[in-house]
Amino acid sequence: LRAGQTLVMFPEGYPTIEPYPSPKDDGRDFLPFEPGMIKLAQLAQRDGVTRVAIVPAGFAYTRLPGRDGWRVTLRYGEPHTITTRARPGEVAALVARVEADVRALSRPETPSGSGPITTVTGQSTPAEAR
């Protein structure tokens, strides 16, 4: 992050379409988000120069009719920031805000009220998804 690179994380720990077993096998759409994404941003910012934006992203999956593949829509929401000295309550509030944004951005229809979004759509077969 300090080198200006992008880091992509699944804050729940598992993607939705996963060829290997995960705790999501019970049919829940989302696992609880973890605060590790916030901690990494705070650690990178300790140098006093780096500023990290936490950008929520949502994947909306639609099975392609009559085919063995998926249409995946990726949407980005408004970025969030946190200070290196944020209190535990502030960290928990940001985790909840990012989780709410990701849930809204992951809906098949265009989310309303989530601010400007960027949408990228593509198609893949199960072999490409691995």
Side-chain angles (χ1 to χ4, degrees):
L1 292 171
R2 286 183 180 163
Q5 299 295 313
T6 300
L7 173 65
V8 177
M9 297 179 66
F10 289 93
E12 344 166 51
Y14 298 89
T16 297
I17 296 177
E18 173 65 53
Y20 306 103
S22 78
K24 286 187 166 191
D25 288 341
D26 65 1
R28 293 183 299 179
D29 290 335
F30 287 89
L31 295 169
F33 279 31
E34 300 293 336
M37 63 181 160
I38 309 300
K39 185 66 173 175
L40 287 174
Q42 289 177 305
L43 289 170
Q45 294 180 148
R46 282 188 181 171
D47 67 358
V49 176
T50 304
R51 295 293 169 253
V52 177
I54 298 167
V55 181
F59 292 103
Y61 299 94
T62 306
R63 188 175 287 280
L64 296 173
R67 295 176 51 194
D68 188 20
W70 296 86
R71 172 168 288 128
V72 181
T73 301
L74 169 59
R75 297 184 185 105
Y76 297 96
E78 288 290 318
H80 300 284
T81 59
I82 189 98
T83 66
T84 57
R85 299 185 190 275
R87 295 187 181 109
E90 294 171 295
V91 170
L94 181 54
V95 170
R97 231 176 2 259
V98 170
E99 182 173 355
D101 288 352
V102 169
R103 286 176 179 267
L105 293 163
S106 298
R107 290 188 192 116
E109 66 277 356
T110 302
S112 60
S114 62
I117 60 172
T118 301
T119 303
V120 178
T121 301
Q123 296 180 9
S124 70
T125 64
E128 293 169 335
R130 285 186 213 126

